[in-house]
Amino acid sequence: MVKKNKVWELLDQISDPEIPVLTIRDLGILRDVEITEEKVVVTITPTYSGCPAMTTIEDDISALFIKEGIQDFDINLVLSPAWTTDWMSEEGRVKLREYGIAPPENEIDKSVLFAEPPVISCPKCNSEDTRMVSQFGSTACKAHYQCNKCLEPFDYFKCLK
Amino acid sequence: MNSLFEYLIRLGDDSLILGHRMSEWCGHGPILEEDIAMTNISLDLIGQATNLLKYAGEVEGKGRDEDELAFLRFDRDYKNVLLVEQPNGDFGMTMMRQFLFDAYRKPLFEALVNSSDEQLSAIAVKSLKETKYHLKHSAEWVIRLGDGTEESKQRVQESLDTIWRYTDELFFTDDIEKELLENGMSADLEEIKVAWMETVNQVLSEATLNIPDHGWQHDGGRRGMHSEHLGYILAELQYMQRAYPGMEW
Ligand SMILES: [Zn+2]
């Protein structure tokens, strides 16, 4: 049977289809790898309930395993514990920023109406003079910002706890 | 009858039908940002529906999965409240409907986090995080439109007057609710109503809107008795699976 660390290594080839610069491990979507006598069991969890990337991720893992000669495996999708942006790796946050998406910052309680949006620095010029254009961005996990200094529109990976 | 199954269907259908209604805005939003916001919310709701109906199918144990439950039931088997099937109207109407629903969903999920049913609790934890975003979005729009221009205030007040009669049903209680409450699985709707009323009063007063004083309230959705609108929703929702049974893409 294949070794556990070899499987983790292999799975580092699987990236998020919507944010290809991040692997599923960087994002915290990949929760666990278990090797039993009969099979490899991979556990993943969605970011948002309706995350449309999950099926693609499952397919990508299956295709990779088959290519690598791993025939007996299960992919478990669990909801609990619920995903949080705290699970994003430090390396992931750096990669995200280099890619042009501002990584999640700690935010105050979402339920406060008309609260000031968090200060997010521009991933292009680092200015903190930015504004939130919309709480909802190109995917469920992102908000839409614009830099007032260099005018770059950018995505902010919003904090989810 | 399996009470937990029935309860999950109620929760799942609320998400499914409102998610479908929100998806009707795709490409029709008043501004691009709101088009994206509404489709994002739609996606969250449909994702919640997927989790709830999938679990309902497992609880039922007859081999029905979430797709079969979403696409292949008849109208009387849908148990969503009438509020979520009401037409979108203008943007203000959609935001008002969403707000009245979100203000109920947030305390409901907060309570279901403590459900004695582990999977229902897990779904609630996940859904609650999303619902907080939804409520903030819809409440802020209700305030902007209510405390806005003369026209926006008048139109959003009319929306409130039109759909207020569907709000009591959110707190519809029958033997199923009572049985699950005794088992610690569901939430006490009387408590949820107190929390709902507080949010509604606070936001509507900031929005300078008035709660209509007519007393008439509809119900029926939880028993499968729907308004004519559900038929049209289902015709669109189910078309592909009815025309091409078992198709996948
Ligand atoms: Zn900049």
Side-chain angles (χ1 to χ4, degrees):
Chain A
M1 193 41 108
V2 61
K3 288 257 177 357
K4 200 176 197 169
N5 55 1
K6 166 79 179 159
V7 175
W8 277 102
E9 232 169 77
L10 275 177
L11 289 171
D12 274 339
Q13 295 173 32
I14 307 286
S15 56
D16 182 281
E18 285 173 337
I19 314 168
V21 72
L22 294 187
T23 67
I24 54 172
R25 199 208 289 212
D26 290 331
L27 256 172
I29 289 176
L30 176 60
R31 299 314 302 156
D32 196 27
V33 174
E34 232 185 307
I35 315 274
T36 69
E37 279 182 22
E38 304 94 48
K39 58 189 168 192
V40 176
V41 181
V42 176
T43 302
I44 54 176
T45 193
T47 52
Y48 283 71
S49 298
C51 179
M54 292 318 285
T55 322
T56 310
I57 291 171
E58 282 180 50
D59 290 349
D60 289 350
I61 296 173
S62 302
L64 175 70
F65 280 174
I66 290 164
K67 192 181 107 205
E68 294 292 330
I70 301 171
Q71 305 287 348
D72 302 310
F73 60 88
D74 269 344
I75 303 167
N76 256 344
L77 184 68
V78 297
L79 296 177
S80 179
W83 182 83
T84 148
T85 35
D86 289 348
W87 292 350
M88 191 183 290
S89 66
E90 203 40 54
E91 201 190 337
R93 297 174 58 90
V94 173
K95 283 198 267 182
L96 203 58
R97 202 172 166 81
E98 282 168 1
Y99 187 63
I101 300 174
E105 297 290 339
N106 271 325
E107 286 177 40
I108 51 155
D109 190 359
K110 305 265 177 345
S111 39
V112 181
L113 298 182
F114 297 106
E116 284 292 315
V119 176
I120 306 301
S121 66
C122 169
K124 193 170 175 170
C125 76
N126 293 321
S127 166
E128 291 201 338
D129 182 13
T130 63
R131 68 187 178 98
M132 187 171 82
V133 177
S134 174
Q135 202 185 158
F136 296 87
S138 57
T139 62
C141 51
K142 290 182 243 131
H144 186 201
Y145 269 71
Q146 186 174 21
C147 177
N148 291 328
K149 197 165 165 230
C150 75
L151 302 181
E152 179 82 355
F154 63 91
D155 274 332
Y156 160 57
F157 200 114
K158 57 194 177 195
C159 172
L160 191 76
K161 292 200 182 206
Chain B
M1 191 195 308
N2 184 327
S3 299
L4 181 57
F5 169 76
E6 184 69 17
Y7 187 68
L8 291 166
I9 289 288
R10 291 175 181 186
L11 294 176
D13 286 347
D14 282 353
S15 295
L16 176 70
I17 300 302
L18 189 58
H20 182 85
R21 273 293 187 223
M22 286 303 257
S23 79
E24 291 173 358
W25 276 102
C26 185
H28 300 274
I31 48 170
L32 183 61
E33 285 77 12
E34 281 312 305
D35 201 291
I36 293 169
M38 287 190 282
T39 41
N40 263 298
I41 291 166
S42 170
L43 187 64
D44 284 342
L45 288 165
I46 292 169
Q48 293 167 10
T50 307
N51 291 334
L52 289 160
L53 296 179
K54 181 177 185 207
Y55 184 42
E58 287 164 16
V59 165
E60 187 192 36
K62 291 183 185 164
R64 291 202 280 181
D65 66 7
E66 63 275 26
D67 287 336
E68 196 171 339
L69 287 168
F71 295 121
L72 295 175
R73 280 177 293 153
F74 290 106
D75 53 349
R76 290 283 178 95
D77 299 327
Y78 284 78
K79 300 295 168 59
N80 56 280
V81 287
L82 301 175
L83 177 71
V84 298
E85 68 195 42
Q86 298 311 303
N88 285 342
D90 60 17
F91 178 71
M93 171 65 103
T94 294
M95 283 303 116
M96 182 57 81
R97 185 188 61 200
Q98 189 69 32
F99 165 66
L100 294 169
F101 181 76
D102 292 338
Y104 147 81
R105 263 296 171 103
K106 181 170 167 266
L108 179 66
F109 282 138
E110 278 167 345
L112 290 178
V113 164
N114 300 314
S115 170
S116 60
D117 186 272
E118 225 172 88
Q119 182 66 3
L120 180 54
S121 162
I123 294 171
V125 171
K126 191 127 200 82
S127 308
L128 176 60
K129 297 182 187 210
E130 297 152 4
T131 305
K132 284 183 184 173
Y133 267 115
H134 301 173
L135 177 59
K136 181 176 160 63
H137 176 256
S138 59
E140 287 181 357
W141 271 112
V142 164
I143 294 170
R144 265 186 219 112
L145 294 169
D147 191 16
T149 66
E150 205 177 308
E151 185 185 351
S152 72
K153 181 187 166 89
Q154 184 211 328
R155 283 170 68 171
V156 80
Q157 178 68 57
E158 279 169 17
S159 301
L160 176 61
D161 294 346
T162 306
I163 53 170
W164 182 256
R165 67 194 62 151
Y166 298 107
T167 52
D168 240 18
E169 199 195 4
L170 293 168
F171 311 101
F172 174 83
T173 306
D174 61 3
D175 289 345
I176 289 166
E177 298 272 346
K178 282 180 200 145
E179 183 196 323
L180 291 179
L181 185 59
E182 277 166 25
N183 299 336
M185 285 183 187
S186 70
D188 186 346
L189 286 175
E190 277 178 38
E191 283 173 25
I192 307 297
K193 187 168 186 176
V194 173
W196 176 81
M197 205 61 233
E198 198 179 312
T199 310
V200 167
N201 277 330
Q202 185 211 333
V203 169
L204 291 184
S205 106
E206 262 196 69
T208 68
L209 297 171
N210 300 315
I211 292 177
D213 51 15
H214 58 69
W216 172 252
Q217 288 281 340
H218 290 273
D219 71 9
R222 292 285 190 238
R223 294 190 303 268
M225 309 294 285
H226 292 277
S227 61
E228 65 173 310
H229 306 297
L230 184 72
Y232 293 97
I233 293 175
L234 294 184
E236 192 176 304
L237 185 72
Q238 299 191 342
Y239 170 78
M240 290 297 261
Q241 281 303 321
R242 298 288 185 189
Y244 306 97
M247 85 166 295
E248 285 182 39
W249 67 90

